[in-house]
Amino acid sequence: MRIESGTATNTGPAGRWSLVVPLKPLARAKSRLAPASGALLRPRLALAFARDTVAAALSCPDVADVVVVTDDTAAGAALAALGALVVPDAPAAGLNAALAHGERVARTARPGAPVAALNADLPALRPAELSRVLEFSAAFPRAFVPDAAGIGTTFLSAGPGVDLRPAFGGPSRARHLASGAVEITLPGIDSVRRDVDTGEDLRAALVLGVGPFTAGRWAAGASSRDR
């Protein structure tokens, strides 16, 4: 891996996907997690989730670069330090508009590359499992991974020259199916499906095994949670 203009780029032949990761401003992120984490820890966990997600993605040999779309300057700086290309949410028109903006940025930089959208709240993400998903996705114009609940979506891909057409939010699994995207039902990709919105989700991710940023932040917050 080399660093070019602040962007981590895999130099091997397998490093070919551009991933787009959207992130809300931390002050508004993961509101449903507050009952389990507390108001102070919640935004810090949201950032830790994103850092573990981006770090795992950049460690995947099938990933060439990661574009993070966010207006949060602190989060952007932390993710840029990992090697992501961070761009502002110029449309400021919601999640799907942010993803479409990130797709345009990625394809301007690498016009012939396949592109995938990836949730920022996958703290247990394993590079090897992401690699399996990307290799499977390469056979289809568009493909997606449903979340662990089977309602939403954690990953959506589009091949070269194919529009991503994201429809994230709420029951997005049904919308992506209806749009013609192929549902990815591979076994052994639990870490790609395990997004975190609630305390129950976080407990499931911790059992699965979270990355170092989330593990450290959760451990550091233990004393305040116990008080």
Side-chain angles (χ1 to χ4, degrees):
M1 179 183 293
R2 68 176 184 268
I3 304 296
E4 295 181 347
S5 302
T7 303
T9 303
N10 285 315
T11 56
R16 48 190 198 84
W17 284 83
S18 291
L19 300 191
V20 180
V21 178
L23 181 64
K24 284 182 181 179
L26 298 178
R28 296 191 284 109
K30 297 298 158 194
S31 58
R32 293 164 58 196
L33 192 60
S37 65
L40 291 177
L41 185 57
R42 175 193 53 76
R44 297 171 184 172
L45 279 173
L47 177 56
F49 297 166
R51 292 173 82 187
D52 280 324
T53 300
V54 169
L58 287 170
S59 295
C60 176
D62 292 289
V63 173
D65 48 46
V66 173
V67 177
V68 174
V69 183
T70 187
D71 279 336
D72 192 296
T73 55
L79 297 173
L82 295 175
L85 170 64
V86 178
V87 298
D89 183 4
L95 174 58
N96 292 306
L99 285 169
H101 174 54
E103 178 188 9
R104 288 190 293 271
V105 170
R107 286 194 155 141
T108 296
R110 302 177 63 238
V115 174
L118 186 70
N119 283 11
D121 59 351
L122 301 171
L125 185 64
R126 308 285 201 270
E129 293 184 15
L130 177 59
S131 184
R132 291 186 63 213
V133 167
L134 292 170
E135 289 169 6
F136 181 93
S137 299
F140 302 96
R142 294 170 65 246
F144 75 97
V145 174
D147 65 12
I151 297 171
T153 304
T154 60
F155 168 97
L156 174 68
S157 69
V162 179
D163 290 336
L164 191 60
R165 295 164 55 199
F168 285 78
S172 61
R173 173 180 177 266
R175 289 195 295 273
H176 286 133
L177 272 174
S179 75
V182 172
E183 183 171 17
I184 300 173
T185 58
L186 293 170
I189 58 167
D190 292 350
S191 75
V192 188
R193 300 185 64 190
R194 182 71 276 168
D195 58 343
V196 175
D197 288 315
T198 66
E200 182 179 352
D201 294 339
L202 178 55
R203 286 188 287 274
L206 290 166
V207 170
L208 191 59
V210 296
F213 295 108
T214 301
R217 178 56 65 189
W218 184 246
S223 59
S224 61
R225 292 195 304 273
D226 292 340
R227 286 199 293 268

